[in-house]
Amino acid sequence: MPIRVFIHRDKRLVHAIATDSITNADLMAYQEDTWINGEVSGYDGIFDGTLADFSRVNFTGLLAFSQNAAKIDDGAPPSKLAIVVGSEHLEQLSEFYRTATAAFPGSSRTTRIFHTSEDALAWVSNGAS
């Protein structure tokens, strides 16, 4: 799978690193395997896409991914998601995801976009959202 996931239970953090070419199906599999079946409800997350190509991800699939994310969050404690981007295209996709997820009922996650992993980790590690 082109998305490697590291779960740090002591920090209540899911750190995903995308590599290679990513598709909507890859994102849905990541969501299913990690957030639905991974017993990480309420964990913060870092999604690092700087090493991947997201040109095969379309907005229609990303909308379904966003809606699922809001459903997963429903009833979970507030949490944070930092998305690390390395291209303008991924930044546009991430902004669409952030906006769409927040618009669906149930969303309890604050999402921000970063250009470095260090800044993303600093924000997630800070107690305030």
Side-chain angles (χ1 to χ4, degrees), residues 38-96:
E39 298 179 12
V40 292
S41 178
Y43 279 32
D44 292 323
I46 297 175
F47 187 93
D48 187 339
T50 58
L51 301 175
D53 172 10
F54 286 82
S55 62
R56 295 171 54 197
V57 173
N58 63 56
F59 288 100
T60 302
L62 194 56
L63 184 62
F65 181 80
S66 301
Q67 186 173 22
N68 284 344
K71 287 179 187 176
I72 293 166
D73 289 348
D74 194 15
S79 61
K80 299 178 187 178
L81 174 63
I83 304 173
V84 186
V85 301
S87 70
E88 185 176 326
H89 179 65
L90 181 54
E91 189 163 355
Q92 291 170 346
L93 291 171
S94 299
E95 184 60 34
F96 177 85

Side-chain angles (χ1 to χ4, degrees), residues 18-51:
T19 58
D20 301 320
S21 181
I22 303 296
T23 65
N24 289 98
D26 294 326
L27 291 174
M28 294 300 264
Y30 154 72
Q31 190 175 60
E32 176 79 23
D33 294 346
T34 305
W35 294 101
I36 295 174
N37 297 328
E39 298 179 12
V40 292
S41 178
Y43 279 32
D44 292 323
I46 297 175
F47 187 93
D48 187 339
T50 58
L51 301 175

